[in-house]
Amino acid sequence: MTISGQLPSLDDERILTAEQIADYQKKGHAVIRNVASQQEIEAYEPLISSWVRKLNNQDKPLEERDTYGKAFIQIGNLWKHNEDIARFTLAKRFAKIAADLMGVEAVRVYHDQALYKEPGGGHTPWHQDQIYWPLDTDKTITMWMPLVPVSEEIGSMTFASESHHLGYINKLQISDESHRTLGGFIKGRGMEEVNYGALAAGDATFHSGWTLHSAPGNPTDHMRKVMTVIYYADGITVAEPDSNARRNDLATWFPGLKPGDLAASPLNPVVYSSK
């Protein structure tokens, strides 16, 4: 059953300042407050959470999982399961912010991803998102939006400022090894580490696909509910996958495409264009 008529529209445009855009492009990350209002989050959160519960197939207790498994419940492309969630994932408001921060005219969705960190859930190790994506570009960005208040005790993600300027650092997937190796790399380079602390539901951080980042564990009794949407500039081509992770992503998120093709499968609609 659809409830589209009852859901608030998210297609108005948010205007960013020149300072916000310049700061993002320098550091590779930003926080934008009140990207979605409390009323909007209250409308969408129960719907998203119900589909996370429905699609979650993680049945191992936390203590029996590896580091990646302890980090979060991870459900991708929720928008393809429910047309009401599609209103959230494909929202013009969010997409325009992403386009403006990257300084591009139009963006496509790579995919959405619910990341729910359970009570007692573990930390998310240091990593670069884009090691998974078969895209040879620096024009990628992730919106990370909590659907519930995130207390100072949990905090938001921690970013290594300006690390995105280094591009592809290594192929380490999210693991104890990536946390150890990339954490040492950050310390060795003397990079600034930034955590935006407590966030209200509907605030959002944005970070480049190449920005090194991590997240603390969840020591509280409450689920940390986060919805993410990944965007990339329109006009990008599919890169030759150089790892199993990228080969898997190519098959999953760019079905039917091959290296050199325009990165534009039916799963990757244009969600904002200034043209």
Side-chain angles (χ1 to χ4, degrees):
M1 183 178 72
T2 180
I3 58 170
S4 294
Q6 301 173 32
L7 290 173
S9 170
L10 300 168
D11 286 337
D12 58 312
E13 296 188 2
R14 181 68 54 84
I15 305 301
L16 302 182
T17 67
E19 289 76 17
Q20 285 175 309
I21 294 169
D23 195 52
Y24 169 81
Q25 292 182 0
K26 180 177 189 293
K27 294 182 178 178
H29 56 85
V31 63
I32 310 291
R33 304 290 179 179
N34 197 37
V35 174
S37 70
Q38 181 177 341
Q39 178 187 18
E40 289 164 343
I41 293 297
E42 286 175 354
Y44 283 96
E45 181 276 319
L47 178 64
I48 293 170
S49 293
S50 71
W51 276 91
V52 169
R53 287 191 295 271
K54 188 179 298 187
L55 298 173
N56 177 33
N57 58 11
Q58 175 60 265
D59 55 4
K60 285 186 178 180
L62 270 171
E63 60 272 15
E64 294 180 15
R65 303 179 207 167
D66 62 12
T67 297
Y68 192 109
K70 290 175 182 176
F72 36 60
I73 295 168
Q74 181 178 27
I75 309 292
N77 257 15
L78 284 165
W79 75 275
K80 292 299 292 182
H81 292 275
N82 181 273
E83 66 184 65
D84 296 311
I85 295 177
R87 292 164 63 90
F88 185 97
T89 298
L90 308 182
K92 183 178 179 182
R93 182 195 304 166
F94 306 158
K96 182 181 185 296
I97 293 173
D100 288 349
L101 289 174
M102 290 193 290
V104 302
E105 291 185 333
V107 293
R108 291 180 179 271
V109 164
Y110 185 45
H111 61 81
D112 67 24
Q113 206 166 56
L115 299 175
Y116 279 36
K117 195 177 287 285
E118 298 154 280
H123 73 290
T124 307
W126 284 107
H127 65 283
Q128 291 179 297
D129 292 337
Q130 204 166 323
I131 67 156
Y132 294 94
W133 308 341
L135 293 167
D136 187 15
T137 179
D138 62 354
K139 301 302 184 185
T140 63
I141 192 169
T142 296
M143 180 186 78
W144 189 94
M145 180 183 287
L147 304 177
V148 293
V150 175
S151 67
E152 197 77 39
E153 186 179 8
I154 303 175
S156 57
M157 290 187 291
T158 299
F159 303 100
S161 292
E162 303 187 37
S163 56
H164 66 306
H165 295 305
L166 301 176
Y168 205 151
I169 294 172
N170 63 38
K171 297 179 183 179
L172 287 175
Q173 297 183 45
I174 299 173
S175 61
D176 293 332
E177 183 184 0
S178 77
H179 196 66
R180 188 167 51 249
T181 301
L182 293 173
F185 178 84
I186 291 163
K187 292 288 191 290
R189 289 267 183 146
M191 292 178 176
E192 176 191 38
E193 297 179 32
V194 174
N195 185 300
Y196 292 109
L199 297 179
D203 289 346
T205 62
F206 291 79
H207 66 275
S208 165
W210 289 131
T211 299
L212 286 164
H213 60 287
S214 65
N218 180 5
T220 74
D221 295 329
H222 308 289
M223 182 82 77
R224 189 213 68 183
K225 302 177 180 181
V226 168
M227 187 66 168
T228 68
V229 185
I230 303 163
Y231 306 90
Y232 60 92
D234 185 30
I236 302 302
T237 57
V238 176
E240 183 72 47
D242 56 358
S243 65
N244 286 334
R246 285 186 160 186
R247 280 185 281 275
N248 290 337
D249 260 34
L250 175 56
T252 303
W253 309 119
F254 293 131
L257 301 186
K258 60 185 185 301
D261 288 346
L262 184 68
S265 86
L267 295 182
N268 317 113
V270 173
V271 281
Y272 172 75
S273 176
S274 63
K275 301 172 186 176

